[in-house]
Amino acid sequence: MTKLLFDALTPKQARIAAVLHLEGAKRGVEIVITCREYMHVGDMLRLYGVPHRCIGKYGVSLYEKLVFGLERQRALADIGAGVDAMLGFPSPDAARVIFGLGKPLIILNDTPHAAHVNRLVIPLSEVLISPAAVPEEAWRGYCPKKIVFFNGVFEYMWVSRFVPNAEAVRRLGYPRALT
């Protein structure tokens, strides 16, 4: 079975990691999910009921970002040793570990404006997967080896699976939304 590390750093990434975990299980791919203490990322993963390990926390100052990142990298090294590659949005800590272990990085990204993290991670990746709505030239400055575009958005992964709770919708006063 192929094992891929997904280091979810935001609630959006947690949702995507959860869907990939569920879909990967159907296809013989294990998505090993990690996160850090930040913005309810762990809560989102628990909501989806997927296994994950919360390692470290988010740093606010540049010094905290550096020190907390180094601590996370050490802990991620043990996990990274047991996976085949990284699949996920840019995570400098996970990318450093997976690259350092000589394993490939597959990066999902729809935010070319996130210059700091993109400069650190995209050059290390084997492939960048991006919505076609993001122009190719937006990525060129990050020196990707290969870019694969798709017609859609990452959010479709969880929006397409969403089934509203009818009682919650009624309590909000939107009974016509259920017809």
Side-chain angles (χ1 to χ4, degrees):
M1 174 180 282
T2 301
K3 284 178 136 180
L4 304 174
L5 173 64
F6 193 118
D7 189 31
L9 302 180
T10 66
K12 170 186 169 175
Q13 293 175 21
R15 285 182 159 199
I16 292 169
V19 170
L20 290 174
H21 174 81
L22 298 170
E23 289 298 319
K26 298 176 188 176
R27 295 168 172 80
V29 176
E30 181 182 350
I31 306 294
V32 177
I33 303 172
T34 57
C35 66
R36 63 183 174 190
E37 294 175 27
Y38 181 67
M39 287 183 57
H40 303 287
V41 176
D43 295 335
M44 186 64 63
L45 293 166
R46 281 187 288 284
L47 182 68
Y48 275 89
V50 296
H52 63 281
R53 282 192 53 198
C54 193
I55 299 169
K57 55 189 172 183
Y58 176 79
V60 178
S61 70
L62 292 177
Y63 180 79
E64 284 180 347
K65 288 178 189 297
L66 175 63
V67 172
F68 294 166
L70 292 169
E71 291 169 356
R72 285 193 83 234
Q73 287 175 37
R74 176 58 194 100
L76 287 168
D78 294 333
I79 296 168
V83 300
D84 300 304
M86 173 185 161
L87 168 67
F89 282 78
S91 163
D93 299 330
R96 170 62 185 99
V97 166
I98 297 302
F99 182 80
L101 292 170
K103 299 176 182 185
L105 285 74
I106 303 159
I107 300 300
L108 311 172
N109 203 328
D110 56 3
T111 54
H113 58 276
H116 290 92
V117 69
N118 288 340
R119 286 177 28 211
L120 288 169
V121 175
I122 292 175
L124 304 178
S125 69
E126 295 300 313
V127 64
L128 167 66
I129 300 172
S130 171
V134 178
E136 185 172 354
E137 56 271 9
W139 299 117
R140 286 290 162 214
Y142 303 118
C143 305
K145 291 180 184 117
K146 179 180 179 181
I147 307 173
V148 173
F149 291 101
F150 68 96
N151 290 318
V153 293
F154 291 113
E155 291 79 1
Y156 182 76
M157 284 189 231
W158 75 81
V159 171
S160 65
R161 290 163 173 78
F162 178 72
V163 178
N165 178 305
E167 183 53 36
V169 173
R170 279 190 200 87
R171 282 195 314 263
L172 292 171
Y174 296 108
R176 284 180 276 186
L178 298 172
T179 58

